[in-house]
Amino acid sequence: MKVLIPVDDERFAQAMCEFVISHTWPQKVEFKILYVYESVFLQEFVTPLAVQQLEEESSHRQSLGRAIVTNVGSQLRLKFANAEIEEKLQEGDAKLVILDMIKEWQPDLVVMGSHNKGVMERFFLGSVSLAVLTHAPCSVVTVKIQN
């Protein structure tokens, strides 16, 4: 069984990790933990100082993502010693990257968080979990935590 676990912040990652740990999985299970950091778009008119700040922000996001996937991976390895666990960071739009990963890797299940956004937030910002629920060809579990 293949399980994709997209994570985006520490609190939601921990909730998803606890959800996964609390369940029984087949002997042959593969977990892929995915952190997507958004691209930093640079325009021609951006000053060198702004470029440096954007690069620092991108580096910070990558470091944060690496820490999150490493933490989740470590916890899963403690619980599921025989599981195959991959930690992956990828740049891009979260919805598109996750859906591309589903198409490429073909997991049996996606376990992801839901931020419980209101209607207006979803309209203006979009909802990653809604996009995955709507378009994924496999089962999707959303783990909700209280804000």
Side-chain angles (χ1 to χ4, degrees):
M1 175 173 221
K2 294 163 73 171
V3 182
L4 178 63
I5 308 170
V7 295
D8 69 343
D9 72 24
E10 292 174 81
R11 201 172 84 176
F12 280 88
Q14 187 58 42
M16 287 180 283
C17 187
E18 290 168 7
F19 175 87
V20 170
I21 287 172
S22 71
H23 286 77
T24 303
W25 301 95
Q27 282 287 5
K28 188 174 182 195
V29 63
E30 297 176 50
F31 297 107
K32 184 175 291 209
I33 308 155
L34 173 65
Y35 180 88
V36 181
Y37 59 98
E38 291 193 16
S39 302
V40 178
F41 297 104
L42 302 177
Q43 302 286 334
E44 291 176 9
F45 57 85
V46 175
T47 66
L49 180 60
V51 169
Q52 180 183 354
Q53 290 172 331
L54 290 171
E55 288 173 348
E56 288 172 4
E57 177 61 24
S58 179
S59 178
H60 172 72
R61 290 178 190 177
Q62 290 177 48
S63 296
L64 174 65
R66 194 168 294 107
I68 291 171
V69 298
T70 299
N71 181 38
V72 172
S74 296
Q75 291 181 63
L76 294 181
R77 282 183 185 88
L78 286 174
K79 176 70 178 181
F80 308 107
N82 296 327
E84 188 176 314
I85 299 171
E86 180 182 355
E87 301 159 2
K88 186 165 180 67
L89 272 71
Q90 196 161 330
E91 183 178 27
D93 178 84
K95 290 178 232 180
L96 299 176
V97 170
I98 294 167
L99 289 169
D100 284 347
M101 180 63 63
I102 291 168
K103 185 177 180 181
E104 172 190 316
W105 193 53
Q106 300 179 350
D108 301 293
L109 178 67
V110 177
V111 177
M112 61 187 309
S114 175
H115 287 269
N116 295 322
K117 291 181 181 172
V119 174
M120 292 306 287
E121 285 179 295
R122 278 195 309 271
F123 178 75
F124 287 109
L125 301 175
S127 170
V128 175
S129 57
L130 182 60
V132 174
L133 279 165
T134 304
H135 299 290
C138 60
S139 296
V140 178
V141 173
T142 56
V143 178
K144 294 184 182 185
I145 63 172
Q146 299 302 318
N147 294 327

Short mmCIF file of all heavy atoms in Angstrom, two decimals, residues 1-25:
data_model
loop_
_atom_site.label_atom_id
_atom_site.label_comp_id
_atom_site.label_asym_id
_atom_site.label_seq_id
_atom_site.Cartn_x
_atom_site.Cartn_y
_atom_site.Cartn_z
N MET A 1 0.85 -1.18 0.00
CA MET A 1 0.00 0.00 0.00
C MET A 1 0.89 1.24 0.00
O MET A 1 1.90 1.29 0.70
CB MET A 1 -0.90 0.00 1.23
CG MET A 1 -1.73 1.25 1.37
SD MET A 1 -2.90 1.14 2.72
CE MET A 1 -4.29 1.89 1.93
N LYS A 2 0.51 2.23 -0.78
CA LYS A 2 1.25 3.48 -0.90
C LYS A 2 0.40 4.61 -0.34
O LYS A 2 -0.76 4.78 -0.73
CB LYS A 2 1.60 3.73 -2.35
CG LYS A 2 2.57 2.70 -2.91
CD LYS A 2 2.61 2.67 -4.41
CE LYS A 2 3.31 3.82 -5.02
NZ LYS A 2 3.52 3.66 -6.48
N VAL A 3 1.00 5.39 0.58
CA VAL A 3 0.29 6.47 1.25
C VAL A 3 1.08 7.77 1.08
O VAL A 3 2.24 7.86 1.48
CB VAL A 3 0.10 6.18 2.76
CG1 VAL A 3 -0.67 7.32 3.43
CG2 VAL A 3 -0.60 4.85 2.97
N LEU A 4 0.45 8.76 0.47
CA LEU A 4 1.05 10.08 0.29
C LEU A 4 0.58 10.98 1.43
O LEU A 4 -0.62 11.05 1.71
CB LEU A 4 0.64 10.67 -1.07
CG LEU A 4 1.15 12.08 -1.37
CD1 LEU A 4 2.69 12.12 -1.43
CD2 LEU A 4 0.55 12.60 -2.67
N ILE A 5 1.54 11.68 2.06
CA ILE A 5 1.22 12.57 3.17
C ILE A 5 1.77 13.96 2.86
O ILE A 5 2.93 14.26 3.17
CB ILE A 5 1.82 12.05 4.49
CG1 ILE A 5 1.43 10.59 4.73
CG2 ILE A 5 1.38 12.92 5.67
CD1 ILE A 5 2.17 9.93 5.88
N PRO A 6 0.98 14.82 2.21
CA PRO A 6 1.43 16.19 1.98
C PRO A 6 1.33 16.98 3.29
O PRO A 6 0.32 16.90 3.99
CB PRO A 6 0.44 16.75 0.95
CG PRO A 6 -0.41 15.59 0.52
CD PRO A 6 -0.30 14.55 1.58
N VAL A 7 2.38 17.72 3.62
CA VAL A 7 2.39 18.52 4.85
C VAL A 7 2.72 19.96 4.51
O VAL A 7 3.41 20.23 3.53
CB VAL A 7 3.41 17.97 5.87
CG1 VAL A 7 3.01 16.58 6.35
CG2 VAL A 7 4.82 17.92 5.30
N ASP A 8 2.20 20.89 5.33
CA ASP A 8 2.51 22.28 5.03
C ASP A 8 2.89 23.11 6.25
O ASP A 8 3.43 24.18 6.11
CB ASP A 8 1.39 22.96 4.26
CG ASP A 8 0.13 23.15 5.08
OD1 ASP A 8 -0.02 22.50 6.13
OD2 ASP A 8 -0.71 23.97 4.68
N ASP A 9 2.58 22.67 7.45
CA ASP A 9 3.08 23.35 8.63
C ASP A 9 3.20 22.34 9.77
O ASP A 9 2.68 21.23 9.69
CB ASP A 9 2.23 24.57 9.01
CG ASP A 9 0.87 24.24 9.59
OD1 ASP A 9 0.67 23.15 10.15
OD2 ASP A 9 -0.01 25.11 9.52
N GLU A 10 3.92 22.73 10.81
CA GLU A 10 4.25 21.79 11.88
C GLU A 10 3.02 21.24 12.58
O GLU A 10 2.94 20.04 12.87
CB GLU A 10 5.17 22.47 12.90
CG GLU A 10 6.55 22.77 12.35
CD GLU A 10 7.39 23.55 13.32
OE1 GLU A 10 7.95 22.92 14.22
OE2 GLU A 10 7.47 24.78 13.15
N ARG A 11 2.06 22.10 12.88
CA ARG A 11 0.89 21.67 13.63
C ARG A 11 0.06 20.66 12.84
O ARG A 11 -0.34 19.62 13.36
CB ARG A 11 0.04 22.88 13.99
CG ARG A 11 -0.88 22.65 15.16
CD ARG A 11 -1.52 23.90 15.57
NE ARG A 11 -2.68 24.08 14.69
CZ ARG A 11 -3.54 25.05 14.81
NH1 ARG A 11 -3.38 25.97 15.71
NH2 ARG A 11 -4.57 25.14 14.01
N PHE A 12 -0.18 20.94 11.59
CA PHE A 12 -0.96 20.01 10.76
C PHE A 12 -0.17 18.75 10.48
O PHE A 12 -0.73 17.66 10.43
CB PHE A 12 -1.40 20.68 9.45
CG PHE A 12 -2.61 21.55 9.63
CD1 PHE A 12 -2.47 22.88 10.00
CD2 PHE A 12 -3.88 21.03 9.47
CE1 PHE A 12 -3.59 23.67 10.19
CE2 PHE A 12 -5.00 21.82 9.66
CZ PHE A 12 -4.85 23.15 10.02
N ALA A 13 1.13 18.89 10.28
CA ALA A 13 1.97 17.71 10.04
C ALA A 13 1.91 16.78 11.24
O ALA A 13 1.82 15.56 11.09
CB ALA A 13 3.40 18.14 9.75
N GLN A 14 1.94 17.34 12.44
CA GLN A 14 1.88 16.51 13.64
C GLN A 14 0.53 15.81 13.74
O GLN A 14 0.46 14.63 14.09
CB GLN A 14 2.14 17.36 14.90
CG GLN A 14 2.27 16.53 16.15
CD GLN A 14 3.37 15.50 16.08
OE1 GLN A 14 4.47 15.76 15.59
NE2 GLN A 14 3.12 14.29 16.58
N ALA A 15 -0.54 16.51 13.42
CA ALA A 15 -1.88 15.89 13.46
C ALA A 15 -1.98 14.75 12.46
O ALA A 15 -2.52 13.68 12.77
CB ALA A 15 -2.96 16.94 13.19
N MET A 16 -1.45 14.94 11.26
CA MET A 16 -1.49 13.88 10.26
C MET A 16 -0.61 12.71 10.67
O MET A 16 -0.97 11.55 10.48
CB MET A 16 -1.08 14.42 8.89
CG MET A 16 -2.16 15.30 8.29
SD MET A 16 -1.71 15.96 6.70
CE MET A 16 -0.59 17.24 7.19
N CYS A 17 0.54 13.01 11.27
CA CYS A 17 1.44 11.97 11.74
C CYS A 17 0.75 11.13 12.82
O CYS A 17 0.79 9.90 12.78
CB CYS A 17 2.72 12.61 12.29
SG CYS A 17 3.99 11.43 12.73
N GLU A 18 0.10 11.78 13.76
CA GLU A 18 -0.63 11.06 14.82
C GLU A 18 -1.75 10.21 14.23
O GLU A 18 -1.98 9.09 14.68
CB GLU A 18 -1.17 12.05 15.85
CG GLU A 18 -0.06 12.67 16.69
CD GLU A 18 -0.52 13.86 17.52
OE1 GLU A 18 -1.75 14.15 17.57
OE2 GLU A 18 0.35 14.50 18.14
N PHE A 19 -2.43 10.73 13.22
CA PHE A 19 -3.49 9.97 12.55
C PHE A 19 -2.90 8.70 11.93
O PHE A 19 -3.42 7.61 12.11
CB PHE A 19 -4.16 10.82 11.47
CG PHE A 19 -5.18 10.08 10.67
CD1 PHE A 19 -6.49 9.99 11.10
CD2 PHE A 19 -4.83 9.46 9.47
CE1 PHE A 19 -7.45 9.30 10.36
CE2 PHE A 19 -5.76 8.77 8.73
CZ PHE A 19 -7.08 8.68 9.17
N VAL A 20 -1.81 8.85 11.20
CA VAL A 20 -1.18 7.70 10.53
C VAL A 20 -0.67 6.70 11.55
O VAL A 20 -0.89 5.49 11.42
CB VAL A 20 -0.04 8.18 9.59
CG1 VAL A 20 0.77 7.00 9.07
CG2 VAL A 20 -0.60 8.98 8.42
N ILE A 21 -0.02 7.17 12.60
CA ILE A 21 0.51 6.29 13.63
C ILE A 21 -0.59 5.53 14.35
O ILE A 21 -0.41 4.38 14.75
CB ILE A 21 1.39 7.09 14.62
CG1 ILE A 21 2.71 7.46 13.94
CG2 ILE A 21 1.64 6.31 15.91
CD1 ILE A 21 3.59 8.40 14.73
N SER A 22 -1.76 6.13 14.50
CA SER A 22 -2.85 5.49 15.24
C SER A 22 -3.57 4.40 14.45
O SER A 22 -4.44 3.74 14.98
CB SER A 22 -3.86 6.54 15.71
OG SER A 22 -4.60 7.04 14.60
N HIS A 23 -3.21 4.23 13.19
CA HIS A 23 -3.86 3.23 12.35
C HIS A 23 -2.95 2.04 12.07
O HIS A 23 -1.73 2.15 12.13
CB HIS A 23 -4.33 3.86 11.03
CG HIS A 23 -5.52 4.72 11.21
ND1 HIS A 23 -5.45 5.98 11.75
CD2 HIS A 23 -6.83 4.49 10.96
CE1 HIS A 23 -6.67 6.50 11.82
NE2 HIS A 23 -7.51 5.62 11.35
N THR A 24 -3.58 0.94 11.76
CA THR A 24 -2.84 -0.27 11.39
C THR A 24 -2.72 -0.29 9.87
O THR A 24 -3.69 -0.05 9.16
CB THR A 24 -3.59 -1.52 11.87
OG1 THR A 24 -3.78 -1.42 13.27
CG2 THR A 24 -2.83 -2.78 11.53
N TRP A 25 -1.51 -0.57 9.40
CA TRP A 25 -1.24 -0.59 7.96
C TRP A 25 -0.75 -1.98 7.58
O TRP A 25 -0.22 -2.71 8.41
CB TRP A 25 -0.20 0.48 7.62
CG TRP A 25 -0.66 1.84 8.01
CD1 TRP A 25 -0.37 2.50 9.16
CD2 TRP A 25 -1.53 2.70 7.28
NE1 TRP A 25 -0.99 3.72 9.19
CE2 TRP A 25 -1.71 3.88 8.04
CE3 TRP A 25 -2.17 2.62 6.04
CZ2 TRP A 25 -2.50 4.94 7.63
CZ3 TRP A 25 -2.96 3.67 5.62
CH2 TRP A 25 -3.12 4.82 6.41
#
